[in-house]
Amino acid sequence: MAEIVNLSETHLQKLFKSEMGMPPLTYLREKRLEKACELLKHSWDQGNQIGRQVGMLNDSHLTRDFKKKYGVTPTEYRKNIGIRSKQKSKLDGNDRIRQK
């Protein structure tokens, strides 16, 4: 990135951090993890496939970083999302019954 904007790496990192509140690599990791969350919610792809899709080629890095940010592994996250969806469906169904 620094080469593209014709700045030294150090200067780019300082500018980026002052604007975004975090270094470029931390920002990139955050964006990758956010995208991984979306893919876990809305796709049936396996964790290693999701990791590759977001640019995290090492499964253990995805799992470690994901757990550090969200407190659960990607597998646990997906399982919890499924549980919540089923609970919501049951509630929605009960609400419909009550309304009739």
mmCIF file with all atom_site columns, all heavy atoms in Angstrom, residues 49-62:
data_model
loop_
_atom_site.group_PDB
_atom_site.id
_atom_site.type_symbol
_atom_site.label_atom_id
_atom_site.label_alt_id
_atom_site.label_comp_id
_atom_site.label_asym_id
_atom_site.label_entity_id
_atom_site.label_seq_id
_atom_site.pdbx_PDB_ins_code
_atom_site.Cartn_x
_atom_site.Cartn_y
_atom_site.Cartn_z
_atom_site.occupancy
_atom_site.B_iso_or_equiv
_atom_site.pdbx_formal_charge
_atom_site.auth_seq_id
_atom_site.auth_comp_id
_atom_site.auth_asym_id
_atom_site.auth_atom_id
_atom_site.pdbx_PDB_model_num
ATOM 1   N N   . GLN A 1 49 ? -12.781 -23.125 4.208  1.00 0.00 ? 49 GLN A N   1
ATOM 2   C CA  . GLN A 1 49 ? -13.187 -22.434 2.982  1.00 0.00 ? 49 GLN A CA  1
ATOM 3   C C   . GLN A 1 49 ? -13.456 -20.961 3.267  1.00 0.00 ? 49 GLN A C   1
ATOM 4   O O   . GLN A 1 49 ? -13.063 -20.090 2.488  1.00 0.00 ? 49 GLN A O   1
ATOM 5   C CB  . GLN A 1 49 ? -14.446 -23.078 2.391  1.00 0.00 ? 49 GLN A CB  1
ATOM 6   C CG  . GLN A 1 49 ? -14.232 -24.489 1.900  1.00 0.00 ? 49 GLN A CG  1
ATOM 7   C CD  . GLN A 1 49 ? -15.540 -25.170 1.561  1.00 0.00 ? 49 GLN A CD  1
ATOM 8   O OE1 . GLN A 1 49 ? -16.506 -25.070 2.312  1.00 0.00 ? 49 GLN A OE1 1
ATOM 9   N NE2 . GLN A 1 49 ? -15.564 -25.865 0.436  1.00 0.00 ? 49 GLN A NE2 1
ATOM 10  N N   . ILE A 1 50 ? -14.112 -20.690 4.373  1.00 0.00 ? 50 ILE A N   1
ATOM 11  C CA  . ILE A 1 50 ? -14.391 -19.302 4.753  1.00 0.00 ? 50 ILE A CA  1
ATOM 12  C C   . ILE A 1 50 ? -13.080 -18.567 5.013  1.00 0.00 ? 50 ILE A C   1
ATOM 13  O O   . ILE A 1 50 ? -12.904 -17.432 4.582  1.00 0.00 ? 50 ILE A O   1
ATOM 14  C CB  . ILE A 1 50 ? -15.331 -19.249 5.975  1.00 0.00 ? 50 ILE A CB  1
ATOM 15  C CG1 . ILE A 1 50 ? -16.737 -19.678 5.536  1.00 0.00 ? 50 ILE A CG1 1
ATOM 16  C CG2 . ILE A 1 50 ? -15.353 -17.855 6.600  1.00 0.00 ? 50 ILE A CG2 1
ATOM 17  C CD1 . ILE A 1 50 ? -17.735 -19.825 6.641  1.00 0.00 ? 50 ILE A CD1 1
ATOM 18  N N   . GLY A 1 51 ? -12.165 -19.219 5.696  1.00 0.00 ? 51 GLY A N   1
ATOM 19  C CA  . GLY A 1 51 ? -10.853 -18.618 5.937  1.00 0.00 ? 51 GLY A CA  1
ATOM 20  C C   . GLY A 1 51 ? -10.184 -18.198 4.641  1.00 0.00 ? 51 GLY A C   1
ATOM 21  O O   . GLY A 1 51 ? -9.670  -17.081 4.525  1.00 0.00 ? 51 GLY A O   1
ATOM 22  N N   . ARG A 1 52 ? -10.193 -19.073 3.654  1.00 0.00 ? 52 ARG A N   1
ATOM 23  C CA  . ARG A 1 52 ? -9.585  -18.740 2.364  1.00 0.00 ? 52 ARG A CA  1
ATOM 24  C C   . ARG A 1 52 ? -10.337 -17.588 1.691  1.00 0.00 ? 52 ARG A C   1
ATOM 25  O O   . ARG A 1 52 ? -9.727  -16.710 1.098  1.00 0.00 ? 52 ARG A O   1
ATOM 26  C CB  . ARG A 1 52 ? -9.546  -19.971 1.452  1.00 0.00 ? 52 ARG A CB  1
ATOM 27  C CG  . ARG A 1 52 ? -8.436  -20.941 1.817  1.00 0.00 ? 52 ARG A CG  1
ATOM 28  C CD  . ARG A 1 52 ? -8.202  -21.975 0.735  1.00 0.00 ? 52 ARG A CD  1
ATOM 29  N NE  . ARG A 1 52 ? -9.346  -22.869 0.535  1.00 0.00 ? 52 ARG A NE  1
ATOM 30  C CZ  . ARG A 1 52 ? -9.571  -23.953 1.251  1.00 0.00 ? 52 ARG A CZ  1
ATOM 31  N NH1 . ARG A 1 52 ? -8.749  -24.294 2.220  1.00 0.00 ? 52 ARG A NH1 1
ATOM 32  N NH2 . ARG A 1 52 ? -10.626 -24.706 0.987  1.00 0.00 ? 52 ARG A NH2 1
ATOM 33  N N   . GLN A 1 53 ? -11.665 -17.598 1.798  1.00 0.00 ? 53 GLN A N   1
ATOM 34  C CA  . GLN A 1 53 ? -12.453 -16.541 1.159  1.00 0.00 ? 53 GLN A CA  1
ATOM 35  C C   . GLN A 1 53 ? -12.145 -15.160 1.733  1.00 0.00 ? 53 GLN A C   1
ATOM 36  O O   . GLN A 1 53 ? -12.231 -14.161 1.022  1.00 0.00 ? 53 GLN A O   1
ATOM 37  C CB  . GLN A 1 53 ? -13.947 -16.826 1.309  1.00 0.00 ? 53 GLN A CB  1
ATOM 38  C CG  . GLN A 1 53 ? -14.418 -17.995 0.478  1.00 0.00 ? 53 GLN A CG  1
ATOM 39  C CD  . GLN A 1 53 ? -15.866 -18.342 0.764  1.00 0.00 ? 53 GLN A CD  1
ATOM 40  O OE1 . GLN A 1 53 ? -16.683 -17.465 1.059  1.00 0.00 ? 53 GLN A OE1 1
ATOM 41  N NE2 . GLN A 1 53 ? -16.197 -19.621 0.690  1.00 0.00 ? 53 GLN A NE2 1
ATOM 42  N N   . VAL A 1 54 ? -11.811 -15.105 3.013  1.00 0.00 ? 54 VAL A N   1
ATOM 43  C CA  . VAL A 1 54 ? -11.532 -13.803 3.631  1.00 0.00 ? 54 VAL A CA  1
ATOM 44  C C   . VAL A 1 54 ? -10.032 -13.488 3.671  1.00 0.00 ? 54 VAL A C   1
ATOM 45  O O   . VAL A 1 54 ? -9.634  -12.471 4.219  1.00 0.00 ? 54 VAL A O   1
ATOM 46  C CB  . VAL A 1 54 ? -12.148 -13.694 5.049  1.00 0.00 ? 54 VAL A CB  1
ATOM 47  C CG1 . VAL A 1 54 ? -13.647 -13.842 4.986  1.00 0.00 ? 54 VAL A CG1 1
ATOM 48  C CG2 . VAL A 1 54 ? -11.515 -14.671 6.026  1.00 0.00 ? 54 VAL A CG2 1
ATOM 49  N N   . GLY A 1 55 ? -9.220  -14.386 3.114  1.00 0.00 ? 55 GLY A N   1
ATOM 50  C CA  . GLY A 1 55 ? -7.782  -14.122 3.042  1.00 0.00 ? 55 GLY A CA  1
ATOM 51  C C   . GLY A 1 55 ? -6.981  -14.617 4.221  1.00 0.00 ? 55 GLY A C   1
ATOM 52  O O   . GLY A 1 55 ? -5.852  -14.192 4.420  1.00 0.00 ? 55 GLY A O   1
ATOM 53  N N   . MET A 1 56 ? -7.549  -15.509 5.011  1.00 0.00 ? 56 MET A N   1
ATOM 54  C CA  . MET A 1 56 ? -6.822  -16.100 6.137  1.00 0.00 ? 56 MET A CA  1
ATOM 55  C C   . MET A 1 56 ? -6.555  -17.560 5.774  1.00 0.00 ? 56 MET A C   1
ATOM 56  O O   . MET A 1 56 ? -7.426  -18.416 5.929  1.00 0.00 ? 56 MET A O   1
ATOM 57  C CB  . MET A 1 56 ? -7.611  -15.976 7.436  1.00 0.00 ? 56 MET A CB  1
ATOM 58  C CG  . MET A 1 56 ? -7.860  -14.528 7.827  1.00 0.00 ? 56 MET A CG  1
ATOM 59  S SD  . MET A 1 56 ? -8.761  -14.356 9.363  1.00 0.00 ? 56 MET A SD  1
ATOM 60  C CE  . MET A 1 56 ? -7.394  -14.280 10.515 1.00 0.00 ? 56 MET A CE  1
ATOM 61  N N   . LEU A 1 57 ? -5.364  -17.819 5.264  1.00 0.00 ? 57 LEU A N   1
ATOM 62  C CA  . LEU A 1 57 ? -5.063  -19.120 4.699  1.00 0.00 ? 57 LEU A CA  1
ATOM 63  C C   . LEU A 1 57 ? -4.763  -20.181 5.750  1.00 0.00 ? 57 LEU A C   1
ATOM 64  O O   . LEU A 1 57 ? -4.834  -21.364 5.469  1.00 0.00 ? 57 LEU A O   1
ATOM 65  C CB  . LEU A 1 57 ? -3.884  -18.988 3.726  1.00 0.00 ? 57 LEU A CB  1
ATOM 66  C CG  . LEU A 1 57 ? -4.100  -17.959 2.609  1.00 0.00 ? 57 LEU A CG  1
ATOM 67  C CD1 . LEU A 1 57 ? -2.871  -17.881 1.722  1.00 0.00 ? 57 LEU A CD1 1
ATOM 68  C CD2 . LEU A 1 57 ? -5.334  -18.261 1.799  1.00 0.00 ? 57 LEU A CD2 1
ATOM 69  N N   . ASN A 1 58 ? -4.468  -19.764 6.948  1.00 0.00 ? 58 ASN A N   1
ATOM 70  C CA  . ASN A 1 58 ? -4.149  -20.708 8.014  1.00 0.00 ? 58 ASN A CA  1
ATOM 71  C C   . ASN A 1 58 ? -5.364  -20.851 8.923  1.00 0.00 ? 58 ASN A C   1
ATOM 72  O O   . ASN A 1 58 ? -5.789  -19.900 9.574  1.00 0.00 ? 58 ASN A O   1
ATOM 73  C CB  . ASN A 1 58 ? -2.931  -20.192 8.792  1.00 0.00 ? 58 ASN A CB  1
ATOM 74  C CG  . ASN A 1 58 ? -2.425  -21.170 9.809  1.00 0.00 ? 58 ASN A CG  1
ATOM 75  O OD1 . ASN A 1 58 ? -3.201  -21.833 10.494 1.00 0.00 ? 58 ASN A OD1 1
ATOM 76  N ND2 . ASN A 1 58 ? -1.112  -21.249 9.931  1.00 0.00 ? 58 ASN A ND2 1
ATOM 77  N N   . ASP A 1 59 ? -5.925  -22.057 8.975  1.00 0.00 ? 59 ASP A N   1
ATOM 78  C CA  . ASP A 1 59 ? -7.133  -22.296 9.779  1.00 0.00 ? 59 ASP A CA  1
ATOM 79  C C   . ASP A 1 59 ? -6.942  -21.912 11.236 1.00 0.00 ? 59 ASP A C   1
ATOM 80  O O   . ASP A 1 59 ? -7.841  -21.363 11.861 1.00 0.00 ? 59 ASP A O   1
ATOM 81  C CB  . ASP A 1 59 ? -7.537  -23.772 9.720  1.00 0.00 ? 59 ASP A CB  1
ATOM 82  C CG  . ASP A 1 59 ? -8.012  -24.185 8.346  1.00 0.00 ? 59 ASP A CG  1
ATOM 83  O OD1 . ASP A 1 59 ? -8.305  -23.309 7.519  1.00 0.00 ? 59 ASP A OD1 1
ATOM 84  O OD2 . ASP A 1 59 ? -8.098  -25.406 8.111  1.00 0.00 ? 59 ASP A OD2 1
ATOM 85  N N   . SER A 1 60 ? -5.769  -22.211 11.774 1.00 0.00 ? 60 SER A N   1
ATOM 86  C CA  . SER A 1 60 ? -5.554  -21.921 13.193 1.00 0.00 ? 60 SER A CA  1
ATOM 87  C C   . SER A 1 60 ? -5.536  -20.421 13.464 1.00 0.00 ? 60 SER A C   1
ATOM 88  O O   . SER A 1 60 ? -5.970  -19.973 14.522 1.00 0.00 ? 60 SER A O   1
ATOM 89  C CB  . SER A 1 60 ? -4.269  -22.583 13.707 1.00 0.00 ? 60 SER A CB  1
ATOM 90  O OG  . SER A 1 60 ? -3.142  -22.074 13.048 1.00 0.00 ? 60 SER A OG  1
ATOM 91  N N   . HIS A 1 61 ? -5.073  -19.629 12.490 1.00 0.00 ? 61 HIS A N   1
ATOM 92  C CA  . HIS A 1 61 ? -5.089  -18.170 12.669 1.00 0.00 ? 61 HIS A CA  1
ATOM 93  C C   . HIS A 1 61 ? -6.526  -17.654 12.709 1.00 0.00 ? 61 HIS A C   1
ATOM 94  O O   . HIS A 1 61 ? -6.863  -16.809 13.534 1.00 0.00 ? 61 HIS A O   1
ATOM 95  C CB  . HIS A 1 61 ? -4.319  -17.464 11.556 1.00 0.00 ? 61 HIS A CB  1
ATOM 96  C CG  . HIS A 1 61 ? -2.839  -17.626 11.670 1.00 0.00 ? 61 HIS A CG  1
ATOM 97  N ND1 . HIS A 1 61 ? -1.965  -17.202 10.701 1.00 0.00 ? 61 HIS A ND1 1
ATOM 98  C CD2 . HIS A 1 61 ? -2.072  -18.173 12.643 1.00 0.00 ? 61 HIS A CD2 1
ATOM 99  C CE1 . HIS A 1 61 ? -0.721  -17.481 11.065 1.00 0.00 ? 61 HIS A CE1 1
ATOM 100 N NE2 . HIS A 1 61 ? -0.778  -18.072 12.234 1.00 0.00 ? 61 HIS A NE2 1
ATOM 101 N N   . LEU A 1 62 ? -7.355  -18.176 11.806 1.00 0.00 ? 62 LEU A N   1
ATOM 102 C CA  . LEU A 1 62 ? -8.759  -17.753 11.797 1.00 0.00 ? 62 LEU A CA  1
ATOM 103 C C   . LEU A 1 62 ? -9.410  -18.109 13.123 1.00 0.00 ? 62 LEU A C   1
ATOM 104 O O   . LEU A 1 62 ? -10.051 -17.268 13.755 1.00 0.00 ? 62 LEU A O   1
ATOM 105 C CB  . LEU A 1 62 ? -9.528  -18.409 10.644 1.00 0.00 ? 62 LEU A CB  1
ATOM 106 C CG  . LEU A 1 62 ? -11.046 -18.160 10.639 1.00 0.00 ? 62 LEU A CG  1
ATOM 107 C CD1 . LEU A 1 62 ? -11.359 -16.682 10.493 1.00 0.00 ? 62 LEU A CD1 1
ATOM 108 C CD2 . LEU A 1 62 ? -11.717 -18.974 9.553  1.00 0.00 ? 62 LEU A CD2 1
#
